[in-house]
Amino acid sequence: MQKGLVMTGNIRLQELAVNESGFVFDPHTGLTYTANETARYVIEQLKAGSNIENIVEGVKAEFDADGRDVYRHVLEFIHNLQEQGLSSLEAPGE
Amino acid sequence: MSRKPYEKPMLVKHQLGMLNKYGSVPSVEPMLSIDGVAVAELLEKYGSPLFVFSEQSIVDKTEELNEAFKLRYPKTTVAWSYKTNYLDAVCKVFHREGSWAEVVSEFEYDKAIHNGVPGSRIIFNGPLKPADALEKAFRNKSIVNLDNFDELQTAEEVAEKIGEDVSIGIRVNLGTSATPPWGRFGFNLDNGQARDAVRRLLAGGKLSLNGLHCHLGTFIQQPEAYQEQTAKLSHFANWLREEHSIILDYIDVGGGIASCNTLHTQYLPGSQTTPPLSRFAEAVSSGLSELTCQPDDYPTLFLETGRALIDDAGYILTSVIANKRLPDGQRSVVIDAGVNILFTAFWYKHEIVPAQAVSGTPEQAIIHGPLCMNIDVIRPSLLFPPVEVGDKLVIKSVGAYNVTQWMQFITYRPAVVMISTSGDDAIIRRAEDLSTITDMEEVPGWLQD
Ligand SMILES: Cc1ncc(COP(=O)(O)O)c(C=O)c1O
C-alpha cells in the first residue's frame, strides 16, 4: 500500500469549490470557508492524490518556509479538514 | 524562481457576524507601541510578561470625569479608590491631578499618608477600622464613614479618649431598580435603619454627623441607578435638616461606574454598551436636584470612581510560548501571562492583539496562561490570527484591580512600568525574584543543617 494518505471515499474534498481568492464552498452543507494560499495549495495537492511527503516538499518549493515546521502544519491542516467533516483522508499512521 | 511568502495552511469556517459586506474576515489591528514607546523595546528592556501603565490615559480620564461632573455640580471632588490600584506611582498621578484618597483599611490609609496625602484629604471607609486606626484618622481630621452600630460605639470611645470634637459620616445601603442590593455594608436606608443610626448617634452626644456615603456596587452600566441613589440620599439629607437641623458637609456616592471592558455575558463590546461619564454625571446631578437646602449649604459631592478611571491605562505585554491542538480539535495559544496576574480574565473578555504585523487567516482560539492549572484561561474563545512562539501580544484594559488582587502563585509577579506624559518609561514596581519570597520566610533551627 502507498505510504501516506489514502484517497478512497474522499468525495467531499473533491467537490469543494475553491476560488482564486481563497473562498471555499462546500456544496453538501452550503457552508463557506476562507483558505489562505498555502491551504489552497495543499487542497489542490490532496485532490490530485499526492501523499504527505510530496505535499510537504511541494509547499517548501512553492513557499519560503525555511525554518518552519511544514510537516506539522500540513498534518494539523489535514486533521482540521477531518474535524470539519470535509475529508476522510487518513494521515499516515503506523 | 522566487518563492511566495509562507503562511501556515489554514481553513476557517465562516460564522455569523464574522463576515463583513465584502465577505472577508475582519482583521485584527496590531498594537506596535504604547504612547509612542515600542512594545518590543519595552519587553526587551524589562522582560516578559510586563505590566505597563499610561500616565497620559490617567490624566485624560481624570480630567474627563472632573469636567463632566463639575459642569453639572461644581462642588465635586474625586477621591482615588486605593484598592483599585495602589501602586505609589499610580496614586501620585491621581493626587497630582487633584484627587483625594479613598481607603478601606489601615494599610491603605498608611499608604496614602506615605504618598504625601494630607490626612484631611483621606476618606476612610470599610468594615474594619480598629480603634487605633480610627484614632489616627480622627486626629488627622480625615473623613470617616462608619459601617455599623458596633463601630459607632468604638468611634464614640475613641472620640472621648482624644477629647476633641469628632465628625463622622455614615455609610448607607439602598435599593435601586437597576442594581442588585448590596446590603452588607452600612445602614439600610430603605427600612429605616439609617434613621435609627442617626438617632442613636445623636443620643450618644459624642459625635456629630457631617456626611453620607453610599457605594452601590461595581461595573454599573445604568446611569439611572445613580439618579435613584442620589435622589434617595437627597431626601435623607432633607430629613436630617428638617428633623435634626443637621447640614451635611458632603454626600459621597462611592464608585461603581463601568469601564469599557466587556463582560463574558455581554455580546456587544463594552466600548458600545458603557455610557459616557457625562451620562453618569447627568444622573447624579439630577438626583441631587432634590436637595432643598440653601444654595450656600449644598454639600460637597465625593466620587470614588475606580475602574472607570484606570482600566484603560493598564496593559499586559506578553509572549507566545506554544501553539497547541487540544484533543477536541480546538486551537490553543499558550502565553506567559496567567490568571495569577490577570484575575479580571474571569470577568472580562479582555481585548488581546498582536504586537507585530500579522498575516494569515484568523481562527477561533483559546488563550491559555502558563500555569499548571486547568483554570488558567485568559480568553475561552476568540478569533485570533496565526501567531508563532516568541510573538508578542498586548492585553488591553487591565489597569483596575489586577495589580492589587494578583497572586504570588506558582511563579513570580512581573515588573510594572509607567510611560510618562512625555513618553519616558520607568519601573514603578520591580519584578519579583526568589529573594522576594524567601526573604519573608524563616526556617526554624531544627530544620537547618
Ligand atoms: C467603598 C468603595 N468605593 C469605591 C470603590 C471603587 O469601585 P469601582 O472600581 O467599581 O469604581 C469600591 C470598590 O468596590 C468601594 O468598595
Side-chain angles (χ1 to χ4, degrees), chain A residues 62-91:
Chain A
E62 286 278 317
F63 299 91
D64 178 8
D66 298 354
R68 309 293 297 277
D69 192 347
V70 177
Y71 200 102
R72 174 180 161 194
H73 293 170
V74 171
L75 266 186
E76 204 177 276
F77 180 70
I78 292 169
H79 284 303
N80 188 10
L81 290 178
Q82 289 170 336
E83 273 148 21
Q84 312 232 26
L86 292 173
S87 162
S88 51
L89 288 178
E90 293 296 330

PDB file of all heavy atoms in Angstrom, chain A residues 62-91:
ATOM      1  N   GLU A  62       7.321  25.799  -3.254  1.00  0.00           N
ATOM      2  CA  GLU A  62       6.485  26.923  -3.687  1.00  0.00           C
ATOM      3  C   GLU A  62       6.615  28.135  -2.766  1.00  0.00           C
ATOM      4  O   GLU A  62       6.467  29.264  -3.192  1.00  0.00           O
ATOM      5  CB  GLU A  62       5.009  26.505  -3.683  1.00  0.00           C
ATOM      6  CG  GLU A  62       4.613  25.584  -4.825  1.00  0.00           C
ATOM      7  CD  GLU A  62       4.345  26.369  -6.102  1.00  0.00           C
ATOM      8  OE1 GLU A  62       3.698  27.433  -6.023  1.00  0.00           O
ATOM      9  OE2 GLU A  62       4.799  25.909  -7.166  1.00  0.00           O
ATOM     10  N   PHE A  63       6.784  27.846  -1.469  1.00  0.00           N
ATOM     11  CA  PHE A  63       6.728  28.923  -0.470  1.00  0.00           C
ATOM     12  C   PHE A  63       8.046  29.011   0.286  1.00  0.00           C
ATOM     13  O   PHE A  63       8.737  28.006   0.450  1.00  0.00           O
ATOM     14  CB  PHE A  63       5.593  28.657   0.531  1.00  0.00           C
ATOM     15  CG  PHE A  63       4.234  28.603  -0.080  1.00  0.00           C
ATOM     16  CD1 PHE A  63       3.703  27.384  -0.533  1.00  0.00           C
ATOM     17  CD2 PHE A  63       3.468  29.751  -0.245  1.00  0.00           C
ATOM     18  CE1 PHE A  63       2.453  27.323  -1.106  1.00  0.00           C
ATOM     19  CE2 PHE A  63       2.196  29.688  -0.819  1.00  0.00           C
ATOM     20  CZ  PHE A  63       1.693  28.477  -1.253  1.00  0.00           C
ATOM     21  N   ASP A  64       8.325  30.207   0.769  1.00  0.00           N
ATOM     22  CA  ASP A  64       9.542  30.403   1.542  1.00  0.00           C
ATOM     23  C   ASP A  64       9.262  30.001   2.989  1.00  0.00           C
ATOM     24  O   ASP A  64       8.901  30.828   3.822  1.00  0.00           O
ATOM     25  CB  ASP A  64       9.955  31.879   1.455  1.00  0.00           C
ATOM     26  CG  ASP A  64      11.194  32.144   2.295  1.00  0.00           C
ATOM     27  OD1 ASP A  64      11.799  31.175   2.792  1.00  0.00           O
ATOM     28  OD2 ASP A  64      11.539  33.326   2.457  1.00  0.00           O
ATOM     29  N   ALA A  65       9.425  28.699   3.256  1.00  0.00           N
ATOM     30  CA  ALA A  65       9.063  28.183   4.586  1.00  0.00           C
ATOM     31  C   ALA A  65      10.293  27.775   5.378  1.00  0.00           C
ATOM     32  O   ALA A  65      10.205  26.953   6.288  1.00  0.00           O
ATOM     33  CB  ALA A  65       8.113  26.992   4.410  1.00  0.00           C
ATOM     34  N   ASP A  66      11.437  28.365   5.038  1.00  0.00           N
ATOM     35  CA  ASP A  66      12.672  27.990   5.734  1.00  0.00           C
ATOM     36  C   ASP A  66      12.506  28.144   7.247  1.00  0.00           C
ATOM     37  O   ASP A  66      12.015  29.158   7.714  1.00  0.00           O
ATOM     38  CB  ASP A  66      13.838  28.874   5.267  1.00  0.00           C
ATOM     39  CG  ASP A  66      14.092  28.691   3.774  1.00  0.00           C
ATOM     40  OD1 ASP A  66      13.437  27.809   3.171  1.00  0.00           O
ATOM     41  OD2 ASP A  66      14.914  29.449   3.218  1.00  0.00           O
ATOM     42  N   GLY A  67      12.914  27.158   7.962  1.00  0.00           N
ATOM     43  CA  GLY A  67      12.859  27.233   9.423  1.00  0.00           C
ATOM     44  C   GLY A  67      11.481  26.954   9.998  1.00  0.00           C
ATOM     45  O   GLY A  67      11.288  26.990  11.206  1.00  0.00           O
ATOM     46  N   ARG A  68      10.487  26.692   9.149  1.00  0.00           N
ATOM     47  CA  ARG A  68       9.138  26.445   9.652  1.00  0.00           C
ATOM     48  C   ARG A  68       8.855  24.952   9.640  1.00  0.00           C
ATOM     49  O   ARG A  68       9.355  24.226   8.774  1.00  0.00           O
ATOM     50  CB  ARG A  68       8.102  27.181   8.788  1.00  0.00           C
ATOM     51  CG  ARG A  68       8.422  28.673   8.595  1.00  0.00           C
ATOM     52  CD  ARG A  68       8.311  29.458   9.889  1.00  0.00           C
ATOM     53  NE  ARG A  68       6.961  29.431  10.405  1.00  0.00           N
ATOM     54  CZ  ARG A  68       5.995  30.261   9.989  1.00  0.00           C
ATOM     55  NH1 ARG A  68       6.235  31.169   9.075  1.00  0.00           N
ATOM     56  NH2 ARG A  68       4.793  30.185  10.511  1.00  0.00           N
ATOM     57  N   ASP A  69       8.036  24.496  10.580  1.00  0.00           N
ATOM     58  CA  ASP A  69       7.739  23.068  10.705  1.00  0.00           C
ATOM     59  C   ASP A  69       6.572  22.712   9.776  1.00  0.00           C
ATOM     60  O   ASP A  69       5.441  22.502  10.217  1.00  0.00           O
ATOM     61  CB  ASP A  69       7.413  22.761  12.166  1.00  0.00           C
ATOM     62  CG  ASP A  69       7.389  21.268  12.448  1.00  0.00           C
ATOM     63  OD1 ASP A  69       7.382  20.479  11.480  1.00  0.00           O
ATOM     64  OD2 ASP A  69       7.378  20.908  13.634  1.00  0.00           O
ATOM     65  N   VAL A  70       6.868  22.655   8.492  1.00  0.00           N
ATOM     66  CA  VAL A  70       5.804  22.473   7.498  1.00  0.00           C
ATOM     67  C   VAL A  70       5.098  21.132   7.684  1.00  0.00           C
ATOM     68  O   VAL A  70       3.872  21.038   7.552  1.00  0.00           O
ATOM     69  CB  VAL A  70       6.392  22.595   6.070  1.00  0.00           C
ATOM     70  CG1 VAL A  70       5.317  22.327   5.024  1.00  0.00           C
ATOM     71  CG2 VAL A  70       6.988  23.981   5.855  1.00  0.00           C
ATOM     72  N   TYR A  71       5.855  20.106   8.021  1.00  0.00           N
ATOM     73  CA  TYR A  71       5.245  18.774   8.190  1.00  0.00           C
ATOM     74  C   TYR A  71       4.135  18.839   9.261  1.00  0.00           C
ATOM     75  O   TYR A  71       3.024  18.384   9.051  1.00  0.00           O
ATOM     76  CB  TYR A  71       6.315  17.755   8.597  1.00  0.00           C
ATOM     77  CG  TYR A  71       5.906  16.323   8.319  1.00  0.00           C
ATOM     78  CD1 TYR A  71       6.412  15.645   7.202  1.00  0.00           C
ATOM     79  CD2 TYR A  71       5.016  15.661   9.149  1.00  0.00           C
ATOM     80  CE1 TYR A  71       6.027  14.340   6.932  1.00  0.00           C
ATOM     81  CE2 TYR A  71       4.626  14.360   8.880  1.00  0.00           C
ATOM     82  CZ  TYR A  71       5.141  13.693   7.778  1.00  0.00           C
ATOM     83  OH  TYR A  71       4.756  12.406   7.506  1.00  0.00           O
ATOM     84  N   ARG A  72       4.481  19.464  10.379  1.00  0.00           N
ATOM     85  CA  ARG A  72       3.494  19.583  11.464  1.00  0.00           C
ATOM     86  C   ARG A  72       2.286  20.406  10.998  1.00  0.00           C
ATOM     87  O   ARG A  72       1.130  20.073  11.280  1.00  0.00           O
ATOM     88  CB  ARG A  72       4.159  20.244  12.673  1.00  0.00           C
ATOM     89  CG  ARG A  72       3.183  20.537  13.785  1.00  0.00           C
ATOM     90  CD  ARG A  72       3.859  21.198  14.970  1.00  0.00           C
ATOM     91  NE  ARG A  72       2.857  21.858  15.798  1.00  0.00           N
ATOM     92  CZ  ARG A  72       3.136  22.740  16.737  1.00  0.00           C
ATOM     93  NH1 ARG A  72       4.398  23.072  16.977  1.00  0.00           N
ATOM     94  NH2 ARG A  72       2.188  23.302  17.440  1.00  0.00           N
ATOM     95  N   HIS A  73       2.533  21.476  10.275  1.00  0.00           N
ATOM     96  CA  HIS A  73       1.437  22.347   9.833  1.00  0.00           C
ATOM     97  C   HIS A  73       0.501  21.619   8.876  1.00  0.00           C
ATOM     98  O   HIS A  73      -0.718  21.749   8.957  1.00  0.00           O
ATOM     99  CB  HIS A  73       2.003  23.604   9.166  1.00  0.00           C
ATOM    100  CG  HIS A  73       2.731  24.513  10.119  1.00  0.00           C
ATOM    101  ND1 HIS A  73       3.482  25.581   9.698  1.00  0.00           N
ATOM    102  CD2 HIS A  73       2.824  24.505  11.474  1.00  0.00           C
ATOM    103  CE1 HIS A  73       3.999  26.195  10.754  1.00  0.00           C
ATOM    104  NE2 HIS A  73       3.621  25.549  11.833  1.00  0.00           N
ATOM    105  N   VAL A  74       1.096  20.834   7.958  1.00  0.00           N
ATOM    106  CA  VAL A  74       0.251  20.127   6.983  1.00  0.00           C
ATOM    107  C   VAL A  74      -0.559  19.038   7.688  1.00  0.00           C
ATOM    108  O   VAL A  74      -1.755  18.870   7.440  1.00  0.00           O
ATOM    109  CB  VAL A  74       1.113  19.543   5.835  1.00  0.00           C
ATOM    110  CG1 VAL A  74       0.286  18.624   4.942  1.00  0.00           C
ATOM    111  CG2 VAL A  74       1.717  20.669   5.001  1.00  0.00           C
ATOM    112  N   LEU A  75       0.072  18.339   8.607  1.00  0.00           N
ATOM    113  CA  LEU A  75      -0.650  17.307   9.379  1.00  0.00           C
ATOM    114  C   LEU A  75      -1.833  17.926  10.119  1.00  0.00           C
ATOM    115  O   LEU A  75      -2.947  17.415  10.085  1.00  0.00           O
ATOM    116  CB  LEU A  75       0.281  16.710  10.439  1.00  0.00           C
ATOM    117  CG  LEU A  75       1.037  15.449  10.092  1.00  0.00           C
ATOM    118  CD1 LEU A  75       1.783  14.974  11.338  1.00  0.00           C
ATOM    119  CD2 LEU A  75       0.077  14.362   9.622  1.00  0.00           C
ATOM    120  N   GLU A  76      -1.558  19.041  10.763  1.00  0.00           N
ATOM    121  CA  GLU A  76      -2.600  19.717  11.539  1.00  0.00           C
ATOM    122  C   GLU A  76      -3.735  20.165  10.615  1.00  0.00           C
ATOM    123  O   GLU A  76      -4.915  20.054  10.951  1.00  0.00           O
ATOM    124  CB  GLU A  76      -1.970  20.930  12.227  1.00  0.00           C
ATOM    125  CG  GLU A  76      -2.694  21.373  13.464  1.00  0.00           C
ATOM    126  CD  GLU A  76      -1.960  22.530  14.133  1.00  0.00           C
ATOM    127  OE1 GLU A  76      -1.014  22.285  14.916  1.00  0.00           O
ATOM    128  OE2 GLU A  76      -2.313  23.678  13.840  1.00  0.00           O
ATOM    129  N   PHE A  77      -3.360  20.607   9.437  1.00  0.00           N
ATOM    130  CA  PHE A  77      -4.355  21.066   8.472  1.00  0.00           C
ATOM    131  C   PHE A  77      -5.254  19.908   8.036  1.00  0.00           C
ATOM    132  O   PHE A  77      -6.477  20.049   7.948  1.00  0.00           O
ATOM    133  CB  PHE A  77      -3.638  21.689   7.269  1.00  0.00           C
ATOM    134  CG  PHE A  77      -4.566  22.204   6.218  1.00  0.00           C
ATOM    135  CD1 PHE A  77      -5.343  23.328   6.453  1.00  0.00           C
ATOM    136  CD2 PHE A  77      -4.683  21.566   4.988  1.00  0.00           C
ATOM    137  CE1 PHE A  77      -6.207  23.814   5.486  1.00  0.00           C
ATOM    138  CE2 PHE A  77      -5.555  22.045   4.023  1.00  0.00           C
ATOM    139  CZ  PHE A  77      -6.317  23.164   4.267  1.00  0.00           C
ATOM    140  N   ILE A  78      -4.641  18.761   7.819  1.00  0.00           N
ATOM    141  CA  ILE A  78      -5.435  17.599   7.392  1.00  0.00           C
ATOM    142  C   ILE A  78      -6.393  17.173   8.520  1.00  0.00           C
ATOM    143  O   ILE A  78      -7.564  16.873   8.277  1.00  0.00           O
ATOM    144  CB  ILE A  78      -4.502  16.442   6.970  1.00  0.00           C
ATOM    145  CG1 ILE A  78      -3.773  16.847   5.675  1.00  0.00           C
ATOM    146  CG2 ILE A  78      -5.283  15.151   6.770  1.00  0.00           C
ATOM    147  CD1 ILE A  78      -2.638  15.920   5.276  1.00  0.00           C
ATOM    148  N   HIS A  79      -5.893  17.203   9.749  1.00  0.00           N
ATOM    149  CA  HIS A  79      -6.787  16.896  10.877  1.00  0.00           C
ATOM    150  C   HIS A  79      -7.937  17.886  10.936  1.00  0.00           C
ATOM    151  O   HIS A  79      -9.075  17.526  11.213  1.00  0.00           O
ATOM    152  CB  HIS A  79      -6.010  16.921  12.193  1.00  0.00           C
ATOM    153  CG  HIS A  79      -5.164  15.705  12.404  1.00  0.00           C
ATOM    154  ND1 HIS A  79      -5.687  14.436  12.402  1.00  0.00           N
ATOM    155  CD2 HIS A  79      -3.833  15.558  12.601  1.00  0.00           C
ATOM    156  CE1 HIS A  79      -4.712  13.562  12.596  1.00  0.00           C
ATOM    157  NE2 HIS A  79      -3.568  14.219  12.713  1.00  0.00           N
ATOM    158  N   ASN A  80      -7.622  19.129  10.665  1.00  0.00           N
ATOM    159  CA  ASN A  80      -8.638  20.172  10.694  1.00  0.00           C
ATOM    160  C   ASN A  80      -9.719  19.892   9.637  1.00  0.00           C
ATOM    161  O   ASN A  80     -10.912  20.013   9.904  1.00  0.00           O
ATOM    162  CB  ASN A  80      -7.942  21.530  10.456  1.00  0.00           C
ATOM    163  CG  ASN A  80      -8.870  22.703  10.650  1.00  0.00           C
ATOM    164  OD1 ASN A  80      -9.985  22.554  11.143  1.00  0.00           O
ATOM    165  ND2 ASN A  80      -8.416  23.874  10.253  1.00  0.00           N
ATOM    166  N   LEU A  81      -9.295  19.465   8.436  1.00  0.00           N
ATOM    167  CA  LEU A  81     -10.267  19.113   7.393  1.00  0.00           C
ATOM    168  C   LEU A  81     -11.164  17.973   7.858  1.00  0.00           C
ATOM    169  O   LEU A  81     -12.375  17.972   7.647  1.00  0.00           O
ATOM    170  CB  LEU A  81      -9.543  18.680   6.109  1.00  0.00           C
ATOM    171  CG  LEU A  81      -8.810  19.759   5.319  1.00  0.00           C
ATOM    172  CD1 LEU A  81      -8.124  19.114   4.105  1.00  0.00           C
ATOM    173  CD2 LEU A  81      -9.760  20.849   4.844  1.00  0.00           C
ATOM    174  N   GLN A  82     -10.556  17.015   8.532  1.00  0.00           N
ATOM    175  CA  GLN A  82     -11.339  15.873   9.025  1.00  0.00           C
ATOM    176  C   GLN A  82     -12.340  16.320  10.068  1.00  0.00           C
ATOM    177  O   GLN A  82     -13.504  15.930  10.044  1.00  0.00           O
ATOM    178  CB  GLN A  82     -10.405  14.825   9.639  1.00  0.00           C
ATOM    179  CG  GLN A  82      -9.583  14.098   8.610  1.00  0.00           C
ATOM    180  CD  GLN A  82      -8.508  13.252   9.270  1.00  0.00           C
ATOM    181  OE1 GLN A  82      -8.085  13.525  10.384  1.00  0.00           O
ATOM    182  NE2 GLN A  82      -8.078  12.215   8.571  1.00  0.00           N
ATOM    183  N   GLU A  83     -11.874  17.173  10.987  1.00  0.00           N
ATOM    184  CA  GLU A  83     -12.767  17.630  12.045  1.00  0.00           C
ATOM    185  C   GLU A  83     -13.953  18.392  11.483  1.00  0.00           C
ATOM    186  O   GLU A  83     -15.056  18.324  12.000  1.00  0.00           O
ATOM    187  CB  GLU A  83     -12.010  18.550  13.015  1.00  0.00           C
ATOM    188  CG  GLU A  83     -11.322  17.796  14.111  1.00  0.00           C
ATOM    189  CD  GLU A  83     -10.043  18.494  14.528  1.00  0.00           C
ATOM    190  OE1 GLU A  83      -9.911  19.702  14.272  1.00  0.00           O
ATOM    191  OE2 GLU A  83      -9.159  17.815  15.078  1.00  0.00           O
ATOM    192  N   GLN A  84     -13.712  19.125  10.409  1.00  0.00           N
ATOM    193  CA  GLN A  84     -14.802  19.893   9.802  1.00  0.00           C
ATOM    194  C   GLN A  84     -15.634  18.995   8.890  1.00  0.00           C
ATOM    195  O   GLN A  84     -16.556  19.468   8.235  1.00  0.00           O
ATOM    196  CB  GLN A  84     -14.229  21.060   8.986  1.00  0.00           C
ATOM    197  CG  GLN A  84     -13.190  21.838   9.763  1.00  0.00           C
ATOM    198  CD  GLN A  84     -13.455  23.328   9.804  1.00  0.00           C
ATOM    199  OE1 GLN A  84     -14.587  23.766   9.690  1.00  0.00           O
ATOM    200  NE2 GLN A  84     -12.408  24.097   9.993  1.00  0.00           N
ATOM    201  N   GLY A  85     -15.315  17.719   8.832  1.00  0.00           N
ATOM    202  CA  GLY A  85     -16.084  16.773   8.022  1.00  0.00           C
ATOM    203  C   GLY A  85     -15.846  16.950   6.539  1.00  0.00           C
ATOM    204  O   GLY A  85     -16.651  16.526   5.706  1.00  0.00           O
ATOM    205  N   LEU A  86     -14.756  17.568   6.157  1.00  0.00           N
ATOM    206  CA  LEU A  86     -14.514  17.867   4.746  1.00  0.00           C
ATOM    207  C   LEU A  86     -13.678  16.799   4.072  1.00  0.00           C
ATOM    208  O   LEU A  86     -13.493  16.836   2.862  1.00  0.00           O
ATOM    209  CB  LEU A  86     -13.782  19.206   4.624  1.00  0.00           C
ATOM    210  CG  LEU A  86     -14.626  20.407   5.037  1.00  0.00           C
ATOM    211  CD1 LEU A  86     -13.785  21.661   5.048  1.00  0.00           C
ATOM    212  CD2 LEU A  86     -15.802  20.555   4.094  1.00  0.00           C
ATOM    213  N   SER A  87     -13.156  15.892   4.853  1.00  0.00           N
ATOM    214  CA  SER A  87     -12.263  14.926   4.256  1.00  0.00           C
ATOM    215  C   SER A  87     -12.259  13.671   5.096  1.00  0.00           C
ATOM    216  O   SER A  87     -12.369  13.725   6.316  1.00  0.00           O
ATOM    217  CB  SER A  87     -10.846  15.521   4.216  1.00  0.00           C
ATOM    218  OG  SER A  87      -9.924  14.487   4.044  1.00  0.00           O
ATOM    219  N   SER A  88     -12.136  12.543   4.429  1.00  0.00           N
ATOM    220  CA  SER A  88     -11.986  11.306   5.179  1.00  0.00           C
ATOM    221  C   SER A  88     -10.562  10.789   5.025  1.00  0.00           C
ATOM    222  O   SER A  88     -10.275   9.630   5.251  1.00  0.00           O
ATOM    223  CB  SER A  88     -12.990  10.262   4.686  1.00  0.00           C
ATOM    224  OG  SER A  88     -12.888  10.162   3.279  1.00  0.00           O
ATOM    225  N   LEU A  89      -9.681  11.692   4.622  1.00  0.00           N
ATOM    226  CA  LEU A  89      -8.282  11.295   4.467  1.00  0.00           C
ATOM    227  C   LEU A  89      -7.712  10.859   5.795  1.00  0.00           C
ATOM    228  O   LEU A  89      -8.026  11.437   6.828  1.00  0.00           O
ATOM    229  CB  LEU A  89      -7.447  12.497   3.994  1.00  0.00           C
ATOM    230  CG  LEU A  89      -7.664  12.937   2.568  1.00  0.00           C
ATOM    231  CD1 LEU A  89      -6.796  14.148   2.297  1.00  0.00           C
ATOM    232  CD2 LEU A  89      -7.296  11.805   1.624  1.00  0.00           C
ATOM    233  N   GLU A  90      -6.872   9.871   5.750  1.00  0.00           N
ATOM    234  CA  GLU A  90      -6.184   9.460   6.960  1.00  0.00           C
ATOM    235  C   GLU A  90      -4.761   9.983   6.888  1.00  0.00           C
ATOM    236  O   GLU A  90      -4.080   9.797   5.879  1.00  0.00           O
ATOM    237  CB  GLU A  90      -6.138   7.922   7.056  1.00  0.00           C
ATOM    238  CG  GLU A  90      -7.495   7.274   7.252  1.00  0.00           C
ATOM    239  CD  GLU A  90      -8.133   7.665   8.578  1.00  0.00           C
ATOM    240  OE1 GLU A  90      -7.377   7.914   9.528  1.00  0.00           O
ATOM    241  OE2 GLU A  90      -9.368   7.730   8.633  1.00  0.00           O
ATOM    242  N   ALA A  91      -4.318  10.561   7.942  1.00  0.00           N
ATOM    243  CA  ALA A  91      -2.905  10.932   7.999  1.00  0.00           C
ATOM    244  C   ALA A  91      -2.096   9.649   8.156  1.00  0.00           C
ATOM    245  O   ALA A  91      -2.629   8.640   8.632  1.00  0.00           O
ATOM    246  CB  ALA A  91      -2.667  11.858   9.169  1.00  0.00           C
TER     247      ALA A  91
END
